[in-house]
Amino acid sequence: MVKIIECPRDAMQGIKPFIPTETKAAYLNQLLQVGFDTLDFGSFVSPKAIPQMRDTAEVLGQLDRSKTKTKLLAIVANRRGANDAAQFEQIDYLGYPFSISETFQLRNTNATIEESIERVAQIQDICTASSKELVVYISMGFGNPYGDPWNVEIVEQWTDRLVDMGIRILQLSDTIGVASPESISYLFSNITPHYPDIEFGAHFHTTPTAWKEKVATAYEHGCRRFDGAIRGYGGCPMAKDDLTGNMPTENMVYYFRDIGADTGVDIDRFGKSVEMAGEVFPI
């Protein structure tokens, strides 16, 4: 079984024109009927940093989960955000972007890597107390544009720290689209076998021509958890000035269907979601 995590939050967060709350909720309610494993639906972060997500709590109040098994994930960047998110029973996962690039960690969360580790510990405690699970994204996991050191030993060093803290879901994240088949094969071959009890996923940003080699390589090396955003909308507004798009979910859904891998996605409802996305995003 391949888990598809649809990330409308990642698609929306960098868009400057504010998407109305009712529009977001209607889109998310459609996505909840598709059969995705998880919906990365919003974030509890500073509205000054990410204005588009300032209505996450209001959106959550308009979601109908009565006929879906899809779980909800919200991104947080510190203890305050985690406490805010933990108040909502509907949320299953909190996600934290942990970068192994010092430059990007400061840029993204205004914290050093060591300070970020402390935040992970705090958020993990909040998750435990509120019956939620923490998903940690190893951002810049395949390299970075800042000249900060990167190699498999650095990735493994921080993976060790996170696993020791009780984290059980780790997303290897290609935040700026630099991952090659070689680096994907290298990481998944050298990291994941050491942690048989940990669920590793792939959060790839990509250019339109490079998506298939990334997905295929990760799948061939054991990855069964993939993040995507319909039509490839979005990217990380903190990574660099010109956004590299998200992994298009439709590419993954049809790729896995063609190779006979079950994703649990209802193709008809997914098609309606793709059509609806064209109406939601003002680009």
Side-chain angles (χ1 to χ4, degrees), residues 6-251:
E6 174 63 20
C7 303
R9 182 272 316 167
D10 206 352
M12 294 178 184
Q13 66 181 4
I15 295 176
K16 292 183 180 180
F18 187 73
I19 301 171
T21 300
E22 293 74 16
T23 301
K24 290 174 182 166
Y27 182 52
L28 292 171
N29 277 322
Q30 170 61 33
L31 294 175
L32 283 170
Q33 303 307 310
V34 171
F36 297 118
D37 179 83
T38 302
L39 210 59
D40 175 354
F41 81 99
S43 62
F44 290 82
V45 299
S46 168
K48 293 182 180 179
I50 309 290
Q52 189 64 252
M53 293 291 103
R54 66 179 184 263
D55 61 344
T56 290
E58 291 87 343
V59 169
L60 183 59
Q62 297 183 32
L63 299 187
D64 180 6
R65 297 190 66 194
S66 62
K67 297 180 181 179
T68 182
K69 294 181 179 179
T70 299
K71 297 175 281 291
L72 294 179
L73 181 150
I75 296 294
V76 300
N78 51 37
R79 179 169 56 187
R80 179 176 179 178
N83 278 323
D84 289 343
Q87 298 176 25
F88 297 94
E89 183 180 351
Q90 306 99 305
I91 296 175
D92 302 282
Y93 299 113
L94 302 188
Y96 181 78
F98 176 83
S99 179
I100 59 173
S101 158
E102 188 82 28
T103 303
F104 186 62
Q105 191 70 70
L106 285 164
R107 187 172 178 175
N108 197 32
T109 64
N110 196 31
T112 66
I113 292 178
E114 283 297 338
E115 290 170 338
S116 190
I117 276 287
E118 294 178 10
R119 291 186 182 184
V120 170
Q122 294 166 354
I123 297 168
Q124 175 73 337
D125 287 343
I126 292 168
C127 284
T128 300
S130 57
S131 299
K132 304 187 188 307
E133 187 161 9
L134 178 56
V135 178
V136 173
Y137 299 80
I138 301 183
S139 301
M140 299 292 173
F142 296 86
N144 64 82
Y146 312 114
D148 293 342
W150 175 89
N151 54 49
V152 70
E153 287 77 19
I154 292 173
V155 179
E156 189 162 27
Q157 168 196 344
W158 292 112
T159 298
D160 279 338
R161 291 280 297 273
L162 294 165
V163 170
D164 287 345
M165 296 167 68
I167 308 304
R168 291 294 176 264
I169 304 177
L170 293 170
Q171 295 288 103
L172 297 178
S173 301
D174 177 23
T175 317
I176 54 171
V178 299
S180 64
E182 292 76 19
S183 62
I184 294 169
S185 172
Y186 189 54
L187 274 192
F188 276 97
S189 296
N190 287 280
I191 298 290
T192 59
H194 298 166
Y195 308 94
D197 297 327
I198 304 303
E199 182 177 6
F200 284 91
H203 182 101
F204 293 137
H205 291 187
T206 186
T207 57
T209 59
W211 72 269
K212 188 173 183 178
E213 60 188 15
K214 296 184 180 188
V215 173
T217 303
Y219 182 79
E220 289 166 4
H221 288 84
C223 183
R224 296 295 183 269
R225 180 185 176 97
F226 291 84
D227 285 5
I230 287 175
R231 298 195 179 198
Y233 288 139
C236 181
M238 299 301 178
K240 56 180 182 176
D241 294 333
D242 54 329
L243 299 184
T244 300
N246 277 298
M247 175 64 67
T249 308
E250 60 271 27
N251 292 0

